[in-house]
Amino acid sequence: MITIYDIAEKAGVSAMTVSRVINNTGRISEETRKRVRKVMEELHYIPNALARSLVSQKTNLISLLITDITNPFYTTLARGAEDAAKKAGYRLLFANSDEDYEKEKDYVDMILSTRVDGVLFAPAGDHSHDNLLQLQKHQIPFVVLDREIPGIDADVVLGDSKEGARNLVEHLIAQGHQRIALVNGSQDVSTARLRYIGYNEALQLGGITPDDSLVLHLGYRDFHDETALHELLQLDDPPTAIFAANNMLAVGVIQSLRQRGLQVPRDMSVVCFDDFGPAGAINPFLTVASQPAYQFGKLGMQLLIERIEGAASDATRRIMLPSELIVRSSTQPLS
Amino acid sequence: MITIYDIAEKAGVSAMTVSRVINNTGRISEETRKRVRKVMEELHYIPNALARSLVSQKTNLISLLITDITNPFYTTLARGAEDAAKKAGYRLLFANSDEDYEKEKDYVDMILSTRVDGVLFAPAGDHSHDNLLQLQKHQIPFVVLDREIPGIDADVVLGDSKEGARNLVEHLIAQGHQRIALVNGSQDVSTARLRYIGYNEALQLGGITPDDSLVLHLGYRDFHDETALHELLQLDDPPTAIFAANNMLAVGVIQSLRQRGLQVPRDMSVVCFDDFGPAGAINPFLTVASQPAYQFGKLGMQLLIERIEGAASDATRRIMLPSELIVRSSTQPLS
DNA sequence: CTGTTAGCGCATTCAG
DNA sequence: CTGAATGCGCTAACAG
């Protein structure tokens, strides 16, 4: 491995001079600067970021922790985060918690030992509290994405889950649906709680009495257990429409319905939170509340970098991004 | 920041002893081991991976370079890579080249200075040659994914593009289509060349004379210019079916057709390479040649880790993964 | 079983 | 404008 000492020797200067040339710091005569540069190229010198970080106490690394890299919402978010990071000279250390607190904890430990400059943290849920606290204890700046964690005061970028849910359910009500089921994420997650509230609000505004036998509390990726859906369909007064609290649940619901020989929207109307990325465009089908995922990542990263670089005031910031109702063809008026 | 010296002092031992406790190396009396452990916990000590890497010359970091994080094929691949990496104790440094050689080069420079242990490299295309060479020159182990680069001898995990393409086109021919267009990626990319070959082979096997006016050479993400499609449709003898060389192109094609008031499959049959991840399941629509994306990532990572850890022989390995024809409803027999 | 010395590659002092 | 000494946090090699 080529070091600054190799360069220094061959260029007939001290290592310090080489360091200064690399960092464009201090005053160096144009002549030696050129000579040093030339030697660096000849020897294909590449600065060792490790050594540099060890002394500067700065890695230019930011950890992006998300819960599901398979979900288009998070990949689009990751894209926004990466673009913003690259622009500011940071690289992304990637981690995928799988909605699993233990895995999340493992990654937090790794993050801590890696000495990243900050963390963009999409938490698995309320229990992420301890993991976030761990970061705080070690003074690692972070920004929370998508899900608010009770008891954690930090910069946060959120979607308006309540309103998005309301819009979706109101759309169903406007089509005449009265028996509307909610297939929800875990109550351990703020967005799931808010979508539940929005759902109830819309019902009440529509003069419909909420019926908790129509509400399933699963997890955002847990549509394996189809018996839950089975029970819904076996009710005396079964739903005519289903609101899935995110895109993955909608996939599960629709597949299950299909296995039972039921078609969307003919036999059941379905809407959901979050769109499907590029795939959503090819066969406009599901009516969704689409969130600006790219902005989640981009804005979150900007907030984080401001924190890291000390450009932010002490007060934490809370950004709430609206969702957009995109009406397609997965619902049908009740005749 | 807490260091081993803080621990050493408080535990009344030398720093070296602490280091040995951390690494479970050398012989330490159970008693001191416990004492040291206790102090570490009290002080919330976390080893500094930077310092450790600087001396061990090992970062336990692997860079994953892909061309499009928005494409479900690559996110699923990333998932496979991440799972395999985590299992072996490596973390992922993430990079997205956007099919852009310059961006790719930027990231290679970053990769080099970060001293990652290896790179999982999904190249933008043939011109990635120089970037790969750069890695070779600096002795960074890497595995090439998805696209073969002429002149680069390395472990590689590929899909069978030729056969996949042939299957798709044969499917169309079986339905009576004779005028079959190919909307292809750049000829700079091995998979695009092979899909073109497979397409031609299927035509010839079907007794159809290839007609290059039916072939569009774009880029895998470049379906902005719809005039190209316009020309196809204006031909004296226009196509009745389109083979899009990847999923993103299929999205563009279908959107363009729709803007022109043409429906799939009624007015035009469409098939493509690569599926759409979870979204592909919700409304089975596009007939595709689906590749085992997760396996690409997982196997690639395994090969890479073997290389890094010296468990691989010198000979480079070449893994070819088959694709699966999934017939859905985006094609229709020619009446 | 434990400690001392030296050095990984670089940048921050402080002197010239 | 340039250089020498020192240390970032840790571990390999050698001593004891």
Side-chain angles (χ1 to χ4, degrees):
Chain A
M1 172 177 297
I2 314 288
T3 75
I4 51 171
Y5 288 95
D6 301 321
I7 310 290
E9 191 176 355
K10 192 157 178 203
V13 296
S14 78
M16 201 47 234
T17 301
V18 177
S19 173
R20 281 198 259 262
V21 170
I22 293 168
N23 297 289
N24 269 317
T25 161
R27 255 164 288 282
I28 306 270
S29 78
E30 199 47 42
E31 194 182 353
T32 57
R33 183 189 306 279
K34 269 185 185 160
R35 188 150 36 92
V36 171
R37 284 250 164 75
K38 184 147 164 283
V39 176
M40 292 200 310
E41 294 203 355
E42 282 172 19
L43 265 46
H44 302 296
Y45 170 74
I46 295 187
N48 185 327
L50 244 36
R52 199 192 287 229
S53 294
L54 188 60
V55 5
S56 69
Q57 305 283 29
K58 185 147 192 346
T59 55
N60 281 314
L61 276 167
I62 286 177
S63 186
L64 173 64
L65 178 62
I66 62 183
T67 65
D68 183 5
I69 200 206
T70 267
N71 185 328
F73 171 72
Y74 284 113
T75 59
T76 309
L77 182 154
R79 183 62 201 278
E82 200 225 359
D83 287 351
K86 181 157 200 289
K87 190 175 291 184
Y90 291 84
R91 285 149 302 155
L92 279 194
L93 203 58
F94 188 78
N96 189 79
S97 74
D98 251 340
E99 306 270 5
D100 176 334
Y101 292 120
E102 278 310 308
K103 234 176 140 184
E104 188 176 280
K105 184 177 182 318
D106 285 357
Y107 272 119
V108 167
D109 289 345
M110 284 187 181
I111 283 168
L112 254 17
S113 74
T114 312
R115 302 300 197 259
V116 298
D117 292 339
V119 184
L120 254 192
F121 201 116
D126 291 356
H127 289 29
S128 299
H129 180 273
D130 293 355
N131 293 330
L132 259 355
L133 218 58
Q134 179 82 344
L135 291 180
Q136 258 174 1
K137 197 185 311 174
H138 289 274
Q139 318 225 46
I140 312 284
F142 60 87
V143 171
V144 175
L145 296 181
D146 189 41
R147 299 170 183 180
E148 205 155 25
I149 306 300
I152 296 289
D153 181 37
D155 292 330
V156 54
V157 180
L158 302 168
D160 194 338
S161 281
K162 198 153 62 167
E163 179 180 292
R166 219 163 37 210
N167 290 340
L168 248 13
V169 176
E170 280 172 355
H171 173 70
L172 291 170
I173 294 175
Q175 294 200 312
H177 293 278
Q178 299 267 323
R179 299 290 288 168
I180 301 171
L182 167 62
V183 175
N184 205 3
S186 160
Q187 285 303 95
D188 191 42
V189 177
S190 67
T191 53
R193 289 191 295 270
L194 289 167
R195 286 166 200 184
Y196 180 48
I197 293 175
Y199 159 84
N200 274 322
E201 284 184 4
L203 291 180
Q204 275 160 353
L205 283 171
I208 300 171
T209 309
D211 173 358
D212 267 350
S213 67
L214 288 174
V215 177
L216 259 42
H217 297 294
L218 307 179
Y220 278 139
R221 313 184 12 166
D222 292 343
F223 205 79
H224 314 302
D225 180 11
E226 293 152 18
T227 61
L229 184 65
H230 183 71
E231 282 175 21
L232 272 186
L233 300 176
Q234 294 301 310
L235 288 175
D236 286 343
D237 194 2
T240 61
I242 296 177
F243 163 31
N246 84 341
N247 47 8
M248 297 293 121
L249 285 172
V251 169
V253 165
I254 290 173
Q255 284 180 318
S256 279
L257 289 171
R258 191 172 288 134
Q259 281 168 21
R260 289 180 158 70
L262 299 176
Q263 278 186 30
V264 177
R266 199 194 60 192
D267 306 310
M268 182 72 77
S269 289
V270 177
V271 298
C272 73
F273 228 99
D274 293 331
D275 208 345
F276 289 87
I282 63 163
N283 188 28
F285 167 62
L286 257 178
T287 290
V288 301
S290 172
Q291 300 196 88
Y294 186 89
Q295 291 298 319
F296 272 73
K298 182 180 166 191
L299 292 175
M301 185 58 76
Q302 286 171 348
L303 292 184
L304 179 57
I305 291 175
E306 283 176 17
R307 278 257 169 260
I308 291 172
E309 301 184 346
S313 68
D314 283 348
T316 58
R317 293 155 296 178
R318 190 164 180 280
I319 295 184
M320 170 98 69
L321 266 17
S323 62
E324 182 193 1
L325 181 69
I326 302 181
V327 176
R328 300 202 275 235
S329 56
S330 63
T331 70
Q332 156 173 300
L334 213 55
S335 48
Chain B
M1 174 177 294
I2 314 288
T3 75
I4 50 172
Y5 287 94
D6 301 320
I7 309 291
E9 191 176 355
K10 193 159 178 201
V13 296
S14 77
M16 201 49 229
T17 302
V18 178
S19 172
R20 283 196 260 261
V21 171
I22 293 168
N23 297 290
N24 268 317
T25 160
R27 254 165 288 282
I28 307 269
S29 79
E30 200 47 43
E31 193 182 353
T32 57
R33 186 190 304 279
K34 270 186 185 160
R35 189 150 35 94
V36 170
R37 284 251 165 77
K38 185 147 162 283
V39 177
M40 292 202 306
E41 294 202 355
E42 282 172 18
L43 266 45
H44 303 294
Y45 170 74
I46 295 187
N48 185 326
L50 246 36
R52 199 192 287 225
S53 294
L54 188 60
V55 3
S56 69
Q57 305 282 30
K58 184 150 193 342
T59 55
N60 281 314
L61 277 169
I62 286 176
S63 187
L64 172 64
L65 177 61
I66 62 182
T67 65
D68 184 5
I69 200 207
T70 267
N71 186 329
F73 171 72
Y74 284 113
T75 60
T76 308
L77 180 155
R79 183 61 201 278
E82 200 225 358
D83 287 351
K86 182 159 199 290
K87 189 174 291 182
Y90 290 84
R91 288 151 299 156
L92 277 195
L93 203 58
F94 187 79
N96 189 79
S97 74
D98 250 341
E99 306 269 4
D100 176 334
Y101 292 120
E102 277 310 307
K103 236 177 138 181
E104 187 174 282
K105 183 176 184 314
D106 285 356
Y107 272 120
V108 166
D109 288 345
M110 285 186 180
I111 283 167
L112 255 16
S113 72
T114 311
R115 302 301 197 257
V116 299
D117 292 339
V119 184
L120 253 192
F121 201 116
D126 291 356
H127 288 31
S128 298
H129 179 273
D130 293 354
N131 293 330
L132 258 358
L133 219 57
Q134 180 81 342
L135 290 181
Q136 257 173 2
K137 198 184 310 173
H138 290 273
Q139 318 225 47
I140 312 285
F142 60 88
V143 170
V144 176
L145 297 181
D146 188 43
R147 300 170 183 180
E148 205 155 23
I149 306 300
I152 297 289
D153 181 37
D155 292 331
V156 54
V157 180
L158 302 168
D160 194 339
S161 281
K162 197 153 65 169
E163 179 180 292
R166 218 163 38 212
N167 290 340
L168 248 13
V169 175
E170 280 172 355
H171 173 69
L172 291 170
I173 293 174
Q175 294 202 311
H177 294 278
Q178 299 267 325
R179 298 290 289 169
I180 300 171
L182 167 60
V183 175
N184 204 2
S186 159
Q187 286 303 94
D188 192 42
V189 177
S190 67
T191 53
R193 288 192 295 270
L194 289 166
R195 287 167 199 183
Y196 180 48
I197 293 174
Y199 159 84
N200 274 322
E201 284 182 3
L203 291 181
Q204 274 158 355
L205 284 172
I208 300 172
T209 310
D211 174 357
D212 268 350
S213 66
L214 287 175
V215 178
L216 259 42
H217 297 294
L218 308 178
Y220 277 139
R221 314 183 12 165
D222 292 344
F223 204 79
H224 313 301
D225 181 12
E226 292 152 19
T227 61
L229 183 66
H230 183 71
E231 282 175 21
L232 274 185
L233 300 176
Q234 293 302 311
L235 289 174
D236 286 343
D237 195 1
T240 62
I242 296 177
F243 164 30
N246 83 341
N247 47 7
M248 297 292 121
L249 285 172
V251 169
V253 165
I254 290 172
Q255 284 181 320
S256 279
L257 289 171
R258 191 172 289 133
Q259 280 169 21
R260 289 180 158 73
L262 300 175
Q263 277 185 32
V264 178
R266 197 195 62 193
D267 307 309
M268 182 73 76
S269 290
V270 177
V271 299
C272 72
F273 228 99
D274 292 331
D275 207 344
F276 289 87
I282 61 165
N283 188 27
F285 169 64
L286 257 178
T287 290
V288 301
S290 173
Q291 301 196 87
Y294 186 90
Q295 291 300 318
F296 271 72
K298 181 180 167 189
L299 292 175
M301 184 59 76
Q302 286 172 348
L303 293 184
L304 179 58
I305 291 175
E306 282 177 17
R307 279 257 167 258
I308 291 172
E309 301 184 346
S313 69
D314 282 348
T316 57
R317 294 155 298 179
R318 190 165 180 279
I319 295 185
M320 171 98 69
L321 265 17
S323 61
E324 181 193 1
L325 181 69
I326 301 181
V327 177
R328 299 203 274 236
S329 56
S330 63
T331 69
Q332 155 172 300
L334 214 52
S335 51

